Amino acid sequence: MSDIPEIQSVGQSEIIHHEGYDPDIVSPFVPAIRVVSSARLVFISGVTGAPVYHDHPHRPEVFDAIPADGAAQARTAFEHLDQALRAAGAERRDVVNLIRFFTNVAEDQDAVNRIQAEWFGGHIPTSTTVEVTRLATDPRLRLEIHVVAAAPPA
């Protein structure tokens, strides 16, 4: 085990590690992030591989173009996150919390972890992963991602 790294500033936040830190462990999350006071918090509704804007009640035919595999759905979901972050004046490195909902963790988590690591390009937010029976939008969906970001001051 190694010494605990110093607090690292990233965007409008600070990455915090604690006792038990080991630089040899590969992890898609950090234990804590502290947002600096000048940041504007951005809460992004869960995104999926489905169109962000769709009717309620849902019309199944709107979701017929959803890719069947989790990796393709993840790529689309991260594209949707890019759109929401840009619209809110934030970037990928401003994401401080990520909650992932899978319908099949065993089948999809490794592929999504690779896509997520590539998308973040070295930034690692806090994260929670949960397996659920199904997602509300459409039963063909395999992944939903909820994000909180700390955007720079206006």
Side-chain angles (χ1 to χ4, degrees):
M1 188 172 339
S2 152
D3 291 330
I4 300 169
E6 293 293 320
I7 293 173
Q8 176 189 3
S9 292
V10 176
Q12 301 301 304
S13 60
E14 299 171 329
I15 296 174
I16 300 168
H17 290 280
H18 54 71
E19 185 178 330
Y21 173 79
D22 184 343
D24 295 329
I25 294 175
V26 176
S27 178
F29 66 90
V30 296
I33 291 181
R34 178 173 46 216
V35 175
V36 297
S37 63
S38 60
R40 295 174 298 145
L41 291 180
V42 178
F43 298 84
I44 299 176
S45 293
V47 295
T48 66
V52 172
Y53 296 105
H54 54 266
D55 290 316
H56 292 82
H58 295 137
R59 294 182 313 155
E61 66 274 11
V62 171
F63 309 110
D64 286 345
I66 295 171
D69 68 288
Q73 288 186 22
R75 285 186 197 91
T76 302
F78 282 110
E79 289 171 10
H80 293 157
L81 282 176
D82 271 335
Q83 291 173 323
L85 287 167
R86 276 193 307 272
E91 300 177 13
R92 296 171 181 183
R93 71 181 189 139
D94 296 324
V95 172
V96 295
N97 183 254
L98 179 84
I99 302 174
R100 307 176 316 167
F101 300 92
F102 286 89
T103 59
N104 193 321
V105 170
E107 286 184 18
D108 294 335
Q109 181 172 240
D110 290 343
V112 171
N113 284 349
R114 282 190 296 279
I115 293 162
Q116 177 179 312
E118 183 179 297
W119 186 81
F120 275 119
H123 172 59
I124 302 174
T126 62
S127 177
T128 300
T129 297
V130 179
E131 186 171 66
V132 297
T133 304
R134 72 159 276 187
L135 299 170
T137 303
D138 188 272
R140 294 169 283 190
L141 289 168
R142 303 172 64 94
L143 171 72
E144 184 163 339
I145 304 170
H146 168 77
V147 161
V148 176

